[in-house]
Amino acid sequence: MTGRTVRTGRLLALVAVLSFACAVIVALPGQSATAAGCSTSYGGTTKGDSWSATEALQRSFYDSAGPTATHNCFRLTVDKHTDLQDHERITVNWAGAHVTGGRSLNPYGESGLPQEYPVVLMECRGVDPKDYPSGHLPRGAEAVSPQTCWTNTYFQRTSSADPGHGIWEQDAASHDDTDHIQGLTGAVPGTCNVNSQFDYLITPFLAANGKSYAGCSSQAMPPEATVSSVSIPNEVYAFTNTNGAGTFPFEVRTALENRSLGCSSTVPCTLEVIPVDGIDCDNPDATAACNETGALPPGQVNTGQAPQDAVAPAFWASASNWDRRVPVPLGFSQPPSVCTVAKAGQPVPFYGSELLDQAALQWIPAYCLNKSRFNWQDNVMPDDAAFGLMQGGSAAAAEVSARGAGDTGIGYAPTAATGWAIAFDIDKPGNAGQQLSIKLDPLLLAKLLTESYPGSTAVAANHPGFSDNPLSLNLDPDFYRLNPGLDLTHWSEAAATLLATSTTSTVMTELTSYIAADPKAMAFLDGKPEHDGPYTMRVNPAYRHIKLPVDSWPQLDTWQFKAAPNSCLKAQGSSMPPYMPLVANPTTSMQLVAQALLYNWPNVGTGCTGTGSKSDPYQLGRVAPQGVGNRFMLGVVTLGDAERYGLTTARLQASPGHFVGADAAGIKAALSLAKPTSGQRPFDLTQTAIRTSKTAYPGSMVVYTAAKTYGLPAGTAGDVAQFIRVSTTEGQVPGRGNGQLAAGYVPIVSSGVTKALYDQAQHVATAVGAQKAPPAPPQPPTQASSPASPSNDVPPATTPSDAPTAPEPSTDNAPPPEKSSVTDAPVLRTAAVSSQTSAGLLIALLGTGVLASLGALAGRTALWRKGLRWLPRRP
């Protein structure tokens, strides 16, 4: 195609790469706006942290009949734009854009280029002059430009065309510049491979450290720009629906993920929203390329045709498109390293529940940056292991959601009201957008956890007990009766499992307690077949009669293919692993589950890499990410992560027939059922009680700060008491700033359903601060002075009314030595201890008393797992 700017062959190849990771794209109600009464404006709103803007769009045409123009009024809103964390998603909504033609199922990176009229979303370093109409930028601020905008590949920054035929050379907004090479200044690097047979538009990238990358080849891009990155690109070519509106959850990145881009709490960045409306044209030839208005069908998926250059997103940096950009200023929270940089003193380590993760992320700076407070350090670890560290003196406190063993002299201060959820990525049939709500009950969760859906016809035909089961969740009559209108045709292994963690967790205890409280689910697990429509579904024989609850989900299915159904499995030979555990393939933390859902990337381990040659053998690995329109996966996540990453979560059945969402109302209704217990121990909130409620959310949980009420050094006791008081007062104020309560948590306050929790926290804070040991029991009289029979005058042993009592009689009544200490181990917020090997090591370290000094290493054993990066989040 002579004169065509974009390399058509590569674009067509990109259309085939539709299985890559992608995000939610759904339509908003409303009609396409016109320019009538439209004036360009940018600015924040008074509603929370949202931002809104309006841009009057105009595209100019020119042919033998004279000049003409089209007008649109582009209106933009985002739900938040300050105090952002790395990988956080912000919801971008717009109306008044041109309908996108030839939609790509994968809108990320260069895979989103084969479209017409998309809305381009890019993270760019610097502040935008459009937000400062006076022309005076903040002192020392860098101005945004196409050179500071991030793309993951050079193909999004470089285009070539026959001499004089580049669409950018016909752009009236840049005065029809026909220079051979545009964009680069100075000498052309040898890595660019340019020649005189083509003209070029090249947009270099300027890194945060001042280094300029030509952006003309893969060798001339910054180190973070790689197609093999474990993170999908965060630049997006999102589509506008046929009503002129659209929405997209855009993921921001900081210097923790992308040092070259460099966004941070001290380096401002901008989300540039570029509605591709077409190249302005002043060519009197009606057939000129700049007058093109698109050839791909509006609202339809591209089946292999290259877009017309005049309305293609490859030219986002061309003057016409760049001039129409709508900037959204981005502000970021201080990084996890802020406490180290601040030299806040030796950290005081707390260990425990991942449920507190997102709250702790905002709380930590409020301690280490305040000279009147201590350097609080929070570390993820299973509840029982954390409790052991606290008891043994290696941790100041433990963050737990259940009682620990032998908890005499331990107080439990309610610190966070939150919970877990089943998050999902599910698309409606016909690429009609993401499904935003589903219902799940205990029976469906039992089927998913026990791997009772075969996931493929090969497994169904060979695995004992699977022949009459539906292949995946979406084909189960129980599921589609609750969730009508979803796909009833296709199946997948990702839709046959529930992604969960391999570690011990009170979340798994609560999830399996939820299942155990349901008679129908337990009947299924005990072997009762379910006759429904064309299916007679039975539990996976490996899980029949499993006893619930459990604190970690076991992988019990050991079945293997006798005859491998594909070359990759055949190549495993005698080392072929059990198959169903590859499908379930749990992760080491719930945050990794959340990231898998963020990237639409199932953790199913039945994918295959390699060519089968001696030098490149077949290897089993993670399957490819799912594309928009084809997504179906579910996972167990914390409510904090679900809110931070913008995940959709299921409504869970409370009492039969009543389904409750993971929101504040559902959590408060559950907390109203919680009953206080004696001795300042965890409140009694059971799944049996929740099953009696129509409004209580079953995933509700409370995180407690468990600490010794006697035996702590005075300084440590003061720190723990301070933490409890601060976290249950100013730490319960909802907000996105340092020290405030993150989304996904219900404030614990001194009134309403949380009053009892609040009161107990204050009592425990007082007891921990006082460190008053209970009186020693009276000594029995000696034989010489004792009467022949027991005296009735000996008073019984007493315990202060505010001191905790043991769950059973204890023979160890003496307080610990006064000089017991807490090891101030300089460790980071880490992933949970995950494998059997790690658990065994933990026990051994507890036995030797040196685990605290190895805490930094234990937390880093899961930084990389299943193809996803564990991101450091806490000092």
Side-chain angles (χ1 to χ4, degrees), residues 16-32:
V17 192
L18 299 180
S19 63
F20 198 76
C22 43
V24 185
I25 307 177
V26 293
L28 295 174
Q31 298 297 319
S32 181

Side-chain angles (χ1 to χ4, degrees), residues 112 141 258 288 313 384 434 490 543 565 613 650 662 673 677 682 784 787 797 841:
N258 189 334
D384 52 354
Q434 186 190 27
H490 303 92
Y543 289 92
S613 65
L673 303 173
T677 57
L841 176 62

Side-chain angles (χ1 to χ4, degrees), residues 436-651:
L436 297 179
S437 177
I438 64 169
K439 299 176 181 177
L440 294 174
D441 60 21
L443 175 59
L444 292 172
L445 294 179
K447 293 175 179 178
L448 286 166
L449 280 174
T450 56
E451 301 159 31
S452 295
Y453 298 108
S456 68
T457 55
V459 174
N462 292 279
H463 193 299
F466 276 12
S467 59
D468 296 321
N469 287 9
L471 293 179
S472 54
L473 175 67
N474 57 304
L475 302 184
D476 189 333
D478 282 340
F479 178 77
Y480 61 71
R481 271 194 296 270
L482 291 177
N483 305 284
L486 294 178
D487 180 33
L488 298 176
T489 305
H490 303 92
W491 62 86
S492 70
E493 290 176 327
T497 188
L498 176 68
L499 184 55
T501 66
S502 58
T503 58
T504 60
S505 171
T506 51
V507 168
M508 184 55 69
T509 303
E510 286 302 307
L511 172 54
T512 53
S513 296
Y514 174 59
I515 295 172
D518 185 82
K520 191 174 181 179
M522 291 308 297
F524 175 79
L525 295 180
D526 285 337
K528 182 179 180 181
E530 193 181 42
H531 304 285
D532 202 336
Y535 305 108
T536 298
M537 187 168 186
R538 294 176 171 84
V539 67
N540 183 336
Y543 289 92
R544 187 179 296 133
H545 302 305
I546 186 173
K547 302 301 181 183
L548 300 181
V550 293
D551 62 2
S552 64
W553 188 256
Q555 297 297 304
L556 301 179
D557 194 317
T558 60
W559 173 82
Q560 297 170 292
F561 277 107
K562 291 183 178 179
N566 58 56
S567 299
C568 199
L569 284 173
K570 288 178 182 177
Q572 308 306 311
S574 60
S575 61
M576 183 189 300
Y579 193 80
M580 295 310 291
L582 294 176
V583 176
N585 208 20
T587 69
T588 57
S589 72
M590 285 183 285
Q591 190 184 61
L592 290 178
V593 176
Q595 289 185 8
L597 287 150
L598 176 66
Y599 299 148
N600 315 301
W601 197 353
N603 209 45
V604 174
T606 61
C608 188
T609 60
T611 60
S613 65
K614 183 176 293 187
S615 61
D616 187 23
Y618 289 124
Q619 293 185 16
L620 287 171
R622 193 173 183 180
V623 298
Q626 297 179 332
V628 167
N630 299 306
R631 294 173 300 172
F632 200 116
M633 61 179 293
L634 306 95
V636 184
V637 300
T638 69
L639 293 185
D641 283 351
E643 288 290 334
R644 181 77 72 191
Y645 298 132
L647 304 177
T648 49
T649 57
R651 297 171 64 84

Side-chain angles (χ1 to χ4, degrees), residues 99-330:
V99 177
T100 301
R103 298 190 319 221
S104 171
L105 292 184
N106 175 8
Y108 288 101
E110 65 177 46
S111 295
L113 293 178
Q115 303 182 87
E116 293 176 341
Y117 297 107
V119 171
V120 184
L121 307 176
M122 287 182 163
E123 190 170 353
C124 308
R125 190 180 62 259
V127 299
D128 197 304
K130 282 192 171 186
D131 286 326
Y132 299 89
S134 66
H136 300 292
L137 302 184
R139 186 180 181 87
E142 180 180 14
V144 122
S145 72
Q147 288 74 32
T148 66
C149 292
W150 179 259
T151 66
N152 205 52
T153 65
Y154 80 93
F155 192 55
Q156 300 158 265
R157 313 189 77 86
T158 297
S159 298
S160 62
D162 293 336
H165 289 277
I167 195 68
W168 64 91
E169 297 173 307
Q170 303 176 32
D171 192 340
S174 59
H175 309 291
D176 304 321
D177 189 346
T178 58
D179 286 351
H180 168 51
I181 297 177
Q182 296 183 29
L184 281 177
T185 58
V188 178
T191 53
C192 282
N193 298 320
V194 301
N195 61 68
S196 59
Q197 298 178 12
F198 296 96
D199 286 350
Y200 296 89
L201 174 65
I202 302 174
T203 304
F205 178 75
L206 181 63
N209 63 5
K211 183 175 180 178
S212 181
Y213 295 87
C216 55
S217 68
S218 57
Q219 295 78 29
M221 290 289 287
E224 297 86 352
T226 169
V227 294
S228 61
S229 172
V230 297
S231 297
I232 59 176
N234 75 327
E235 69 276 12
V236 178
Y237 304 91
F239 72 73
T240 300
N241 215 322
T242 53
N243 60 4
T247 186
F248 202 94
F250 183 82
E251 180 194 349
V252 297
R253 307 272 172 86
T254 70
L256 291 173
E257 173 80 8
N258 189 334
R259 186 174 295 275
S260 293
L261 181 58
C263 302
S264 71
S265 59
T266 58
V267 178
C269 285
T270 300
L271 168 62
E272 294 292 359
V273 181
I274 307 170
V276 175
D277 205 45
I279 298 295
D280 287 334
C281 190
D282 57 4
N283 194 320
D285 182 357
T287 63
C290 57
N291 279 315
E292 291 175 335
T293 57
L296 301 179
Q300 300 299 310
V301 173
N302 193 341
T303 57
Q305 183 179 350
Q308 292 184 344
D309 291 343
V311 292
F315 309 103
W316 59 270
S318 193
S320 292
N321 286 319
W322 181 251
D323 288 348
R324 299 185 187 106
R325 72 191 186 279
V326 182
V328 179
L330 302 177

Side-chain angles (χ1 to χ4, degrees), residues 379-426:
N379 308 275
V380 170
M381 184 174 285
D383 285 22
D384 52 354
F387 195 84
L389 287 180
M390 179 271 299
Q391 282 184 310
S394 295
E399 297 154 349
V400 299
S401 292
R403 285 188 65 179
D407 59 354
T408 298
I410 305 296
Y412 296 82
T415 305
T418 182
W420 54 271
I422 307 299
F424 63 93
D425 287 337
I426 296 176

